[in-house]
Amino acid sequence: MSFTATELEKFFASIEPFKSLEKKELKEIASKATEKSFRKEETIFQEGEPAESVWVLYKGRVQVFKYTSEGRPFAIETLGSGELFGTLCRLGGNGRNYPCTAIAAMPTTVFRILDRIFLDYYMKSSGLVRGVCALCSDRLKDVQDLRCIGQESVAVRVANILLRLFQVHGDTIPFTKKEISELVGTSIETTFRTLADFHKKDMLTSVRGKIKINDPQKLKVLVENI
């Protein structure tokens, strides 16, 4: 897949933190972005690897993992088109290594911008700083919400994740049961049992590689009544 300069500029102009850049700055930073493609389940970067790039997801889906002390992967984020990753968690620190692992959940296309280029604009552009601050605020809220919900029952956690994905993807969520279990942070078997129970209550219908939400209101009631 190849992109014209105009297509790249239009894409970057539509997303945070680049949408606040002046036209000249936007053109410059878009011209320095390198396109990369990854197959399903291919690793984009690994926790502990030297970090030298900012990543922007163009097409596909990326799951971000941390590993427990037992070596079990725990999904902390699922990212869609237009999202920045591998970056915000390093700003303000030494930023020398990736603190997490990013894996393509499906065939995925990303744009890579070298840290030194991104940071150069970050230091001189108030628009980029505002955009980064907005992203950091949104991500922090998500983390706080997940910490609160993480103390609840598996059913509530699964319902919460499904509602989050419903808001992004609509009533047909392109996630497997295995991916849902990784996001919830519990075993596949437990997640399967919970989803089967939701199916019996007509909250959802599971098809190959996807989950269709039949009644989001029932999921909301379950989450709001905790």
Side-chain angles (χ1 to χ4, degrees):
M1 186 181 294
S2 58
F3 301 85
T4 66
T6 301
E7 288 171 335
L8 279 176
E9 289 170 36
K10 185 177 180 180
F11 173 66
F12 278 95
S14 69
I15 62 173
E16 290 286 15
F18 306 104
K19 61 170 60 176
S20 298
L21 288 173
E22 294 182 4
K23 190 170 183 180
K24 180 183 177 182
E25 294 175 324
L26 185 66
K27 183 175 182 179
E28 289 174 350
I29 202 166
S31 71
K32 294 177 170 66
T34 303
E35 176 192 349
K36 291 183 71 67
S37 294
F38 295 88
R39 300 181 303 275
K40 181 179 179 180
E41 297 185 356
E42 187 174 1
T43 299
I44 299 171
F45 57 75
Q46 187 81 33
E47 182 175 347
E49 285 182 349
E52 57 182 21
S53 300
V54 172
W55 303 86
V56 184
L57 179 53
Y58 175 73
K59 184 179 181 181
R61 192 167 75 244
V62 170
Q63 282 195 285
V64 180
F65 293 88
K66 289 286 288 184
Y67 287 88
T68 66
S69 56
E70 295 82 22
R72 184 171 61 86
F74 177 74
I76 57 175
E77 280 188 298
T78 296
L79 306 173
S81 177
E83 296 199 69
L84 203 72
F85 64 102
T87 308
L88 302 180
C89 50
R90 299 189 289 111
L91 288 175
N94 59 37
R96 295 191 181 95
N97 301 94
Y98 290 116
C100 52
T101 297
I103 296 175
M106 61 190 300
T108 294
T109 300
V110 301
F111 292 115
R112 178 182 183 181
I113 303 170
L114 293 177
D115 270 9
R116 58 180 176 78
I117 294 171
F118 181 85
L119 290 174
D120 180 51
Y121 284 95
Y122 180 76
M123 296 300 292
K124 67 183 182 183
S125 170
S126 59
L128 190 59
V129 171
R130 287 195 301 273
V132 167
C133 287
L135 283 177
C136 286
S137 177
D138 289 342
R139 297 283 174 86
L140 180 59
K141 182 179 182 303
D142 287 343
V143 169
Q144 289 173 331
D145 289 345
L146 285 174
R147 283 184 176 177
C148 291
I149 208 74
Q151 306 303 314
E152 303 301 332
S153 68
V154 172
V156 170
R157 286 151 57 193
V158 171
N160 185 67
I161 290 295
L162 291 175
L163 284 173
R164 286 171 175 267
L165 296 175
F166 173 78
Q167 291 170 357
V168 175
H169 300 282
D171 59 7
T172 301
I173 300 170
F175 279 64
T176 65
K177 294 176 181 178
K178 179 177 181 294
E179 289 174 323
I180 297 297
S181 72
E182 290 169 344
L183 288 170
V184 174
T186 190
S187 69
I188 295 175
E189 293 78 9
T190 301
T191 302
F192 278 22
R193 286 196 298 270
T194 303
L195 291 173
D197 182 55
F198 287 0
H199 178 80
K200 289 178 183 177
K201 296 175 180 176
D202 199 33
M203 295 181 182
L204 55 84
T205 303
S206 180
V207 294
R208 185 175 178 82
K210 296 178 181 179
I211 295 172
K212 186 176 185 303
I213 304 300
N214 297 330
D215 194 337
Q217 189 57 40
K218 287 183 180 179
L219 293 174
K220 289 179 184 177
V221 169
L222 181 59
V223 170
E224 291 170 357
N225 287 342
I226 58 177

